[in-house]
Amino acid sequence: MKVIYPGSFDPLTYGHIDIIKRLNDMFDEVVVAILKNEEKKSLFTLEEREEMIREVIKENDLDHVKIKSFDGLLVNFAKEENSKIIARGLRLVADYEYEKNIARINASLYDGLETIFLLANSNYSFISSSGVKEVASFKGDISPFVSKNVELKLKEKYKY
Ligand code: ADP
């Protein structure tokens, strides 16, 4: 079975890494799908975000994981990939409220599509890419939230 794990990954955090590892253990094939939507202005380029994920795959020997990118509707990407399973992480009740609507819309656009939710690891459930960027913008310590290579890339962007 093949699962798609879509997101912005701008940047990749320990929360994302935890989900990717768990999916690697559960599925034959995991497609980490990076959203390249131009309107949602990202700090890191698509190539930079890809590189962050590639390093995690290599370091952890995640041999079921592939990286792809998409824009437009996620359901169209899922159709192209021939997969009817989307995975999302759940941190807060707020995530659930938002995600359940998207999941229903997606299911109505693609018959049989299932969205599965993985509960965030309690150690990482407070971590978000936007929170990490905010701390980094004030030159704070981001080492508890992201891997060393991502930390270095953030420090480069924010010049500290
Ligand atoms: P998006 O813009 O699609 O929400 P993100 O990169 O912020 O992209 O998140 C991608 C997925 O990873 C989402 O399902 C999100 O809930 C999940 N996620 C983000 N941070 C964490 C975390 N700390 N723990 C578990 N899941 C997370």
Side-chain angles (χ1 to χ4, degrees):
M1 275 212 293
K2 174 170 170 179
V3 67
I4 296 169
Y5 177 42
S8 309
F9 309 107
D10 185 43
L12 188 76
T13 69
Y14 281 143
H16 297 127
I17 295 173
D18 179 67
I19 300 282
I20 294 171
K21 284 183 182 168
R22 287 158 63 189
L23 291 173
N24 180 72
D25 291 343
M26 283 189 279
F27 289 90
D28 304 306
E29 206 179 331
V30 181
V31 177
V32 178
I34 309 175
L35 179 69
K36 50 180 182 196
N37 192 349
E38 294 296 332
E39 283 160 33
K40 207 178 159 186
K41 191 93 188 67
S42 59
L43 175 66
F44 291 97
T45 65
L46 184 62
E47 290 70 29
E48 286 173 316
R49 289 178 281 156
E50 244 182 81
E51 180 57 28
M52 291 170 189
I53 300 168
R54 202 175 304 123
E55 284 181 38
V56 166
I57 294 175
K58 210 168 75 185
E59 269 172 29
N60 296 278
D61 259 333
L62 303 178
D63 53 356
H64 299 179
V65 181
K66 287 196 181 114
I67 310 167
K68 296 200 176 168
S69 59
F70 75 104
D71 53 13
L73 285 178
L74 177 60
V75 288
N76 291 342
F77 178 74
K79 282 177 191 168
E80 280 167 30
E81 286 295 312
N82 249 314
S83 172
K84 285 192 167 182
I85 312 173
I86 306 283
R88 298 283 289 170
L90 274 190
R91 288 162 295 184
L92 311 158
V93 175
D95 275 351
Y96 169 74
E97 289 295 336
Y98 173 78
E99 294 288 344
K100 80 169 184 223
N101 288 332
I102 305 281
R104 284 182 181 143
I105 290 168
N106 284 341
S108 73
L109 294 173
Y110 187 7
D111 200 31
L113 183 88
E114 290 286 354
T115 304
I116 62 162
F117 297 101
L118 273 68
L119 276 189
N121 181 314
S122 57
N123 295 326
Y124 307 132
S125 63
F126 60 94
I127 302 175
S128 66
S129 296
S130 54
V132 169
K133 282 184 281 195
E134 191 165 350
V135 173
S137 74
F138 294 110
K139 307 191 190 321
D141 179 14
I142 45 174
S143 63
F145 318 127
V146 297
S147 62
K148 193 72 203 170
N149 62 312
V150 174
E151 182 186 344
L152 294 175
K153 283 182 179 131
L154 275 162
K155 287 183 166 168
E156 226 172 82
K157 293 266 183 202
Y158 291 104
K159 305 192 170 34
Y160 68 115

